[in-house]
Amino acid sequence: MNFSSEPPAASPSPSPSVFTRLLRIFTRPADAWEGIESGSRSWVPLLLIVAVEVAAMAATFERALLPDIFARWDDMVSAGRMEPAQVAMLQEGMTSNPAWRWSTIAAPVYGIPLVTLFTAVLLWAVVGFLLGGRLRFRHAWALAAWTGLVMIPFSLLRAGLAYAAESYQAVHLGLGVLVPDPETPSKGWTGVTAFLEALSPFTAWWLVVLVLGASRLSGLSRRKVAIALVATYLILAAGGALFAALFSPGA
């Protein structure tokens, strides 16, 4: 895709229907932002994403999610970060208390809006402030909400593979699949794997849609927006990998 051309400046135009905008996100993302100035109905994609995430977690809770949680607690016991009595109490609560279970399954209800808000703030700061584009925060919020739709196929595929493998930890949809599993995981292995897992066809697709939308709404060139957003994503991915490595139980 050519990121070098200058996009037409955003101007008020009739807002397409929700279904039309949703369809364009997947088929014509460069043309999905018409009428965003007059109203974007950002709650629609957020509700859809939350519904898919909650359904996926509910469907895989017993078979994949719960075993991963228990394995993580066992690793913390082995590392001396938790007492066996604490883990026994937590396991009992997670298996017998519906409130604990559903509080875990319902995490996307507040997690997805928070991630969307974080993405919107970054978009506004990078594209609207650092690059000087015409991107207001409400447009950045709408862009973050609607582009999140392209991660739904990732969520569904990941949940399906986790259900089959009986573990989310065993599923690799990014470049982390290239790193062999060691007998004893180390902090370095955890960090490298976490960074590579952040690089996948799905995140590349999401970034392309994000670049097209941010360029369209800000009036900046696709090339300039692409360089800024990809660099920002790589910095965040490296920071997340470092955090994962520091708090991993490995040596």
Side-chain angles (χ1 to χ4, degrees), residues 13-129:
S13 53
S15 180
S17 68
V18 169
F19 178 77
T20 299
R21 195 186 299 279
L22 188 152
L23 188 63
R24 288 180 182 178
I25 289 291
F26 289 95
T27 59
R28 294 163 50 198
D31 301 323
W33 314 107
E34 295 177 3
I36 206 79
E37 302 85 0
S38 58
S40 64
R41 298 184 181 91
S42 302
W43 56 269
V44 174
L46 284 179
L47 283 181
L48 183 57
I49 296 167
V50 167
V52 170
E53 290 287 346
V54 169
M57 292 187 72
T60 59
F61 184 82
E62 291 284 354
R63 187 176 175 90
L65 187 57
L66 196 58
D68 282 346
I69 294 174
F70 286 175
R72 192 177 307 118
W73 288 341
D74 289 339
D75 289 340
M76 294 181 72
V77 170
S78 300
R81 297 180 181 177
M82 292 183 68
E83 295 295 330
Q86 289 179 288
V87 172
M89 182 187 68
L90 291 172
Q91 290 177 342
E92 174 65 22
M94 192 65 74
T95 54
S96 62
N97 191 329
W100 286 31
R101 175 175 307 207
W102 284 103
S103 64
T104 302
I105 294 174
V109 173
Y110 58 84
I112 296 298
L114 286 176
V115 171
T116 304
L117 176 61
F118 178 72
T119 304
V121 170
L122 276 180
L123 282 172
W124 176 79
V126 173
V127 179
F129 181 70

Side-chain angles (χ1 to χ4, degrees), residues 57-225:
M57 292 187 72
T60 59
F61 184 82
E62 291 284 354
R63 187 176 175 90
L65 187 57
L66 196 58
D68 282 346
I69 294 174
F70 286 175
R72 192 177 307 118
W73 288 341
D74 289 339
D75 289 340
M76 294 181 72
V77 170
S78 300
R81 297 180 181 177
M82 292 183 68
E83 295 295 330
Q86 289 179 288
V87 172
M89 182 187 68
L90 291 172
Q91 290 177 342
E92 174 65 22
M94 192 65 74
T95 54
S96 62
N97 191 329
W100 286 31
R101 175 175 307 207
W102 284 103
S103 64
T104 302
I105 294 174
V109 173
Y110 58 84
I112 296 298
L114 286 176
V115 171
T116 304
L117 176 61
F118 178 72
T119 304
V121 170
L122 276 180
L123 282 172
W124 176 79
V126 173
V127 179
F129 181 70
L130 293 179
L131 298 184
R134 299 187 304 270
L135 187 69
R136 298 180 180 178
F137 178 77
R138 64 187 181 92
H139 296 158
W141 169 262
L143 181 60
W146 281 98
T147 53
L149 289 172
V150 303
M151 296 305 289
I152 287 180
F154 169 83
S155 297
L156 294 176
L157 178 59
R158 183 168 177 257
L161 293 175
Y163 188 88
E166 300 185 16
S167 170
Y168 276 94
Q169 298 297 324
V171 176
H172 298 286
L173 295 177
L175 296 182
V177 71
L178 301 177
V179 181
D181 293 335
E183 293 184 4
T184 304
S186 64
K187 292 183 180 294
W189 176 86
T190 300
V192 170
T193 303
F195 178 76
L196 292 177
E197 274 300 296
L199 309 179
S200 74
F202 294 97
T203 54
W205 180 16
W206 174 70
L207 281 170
V208 166
V209 176
L210 204 61
V211 166
L212 293 174
S215 175
R216 170 68 175 82
L217 295 175
S218 67
L220 298 173
S221 71
R222 293 172 180 172
R223 179 183 177 83
K224 179 183 290 188
V225 173

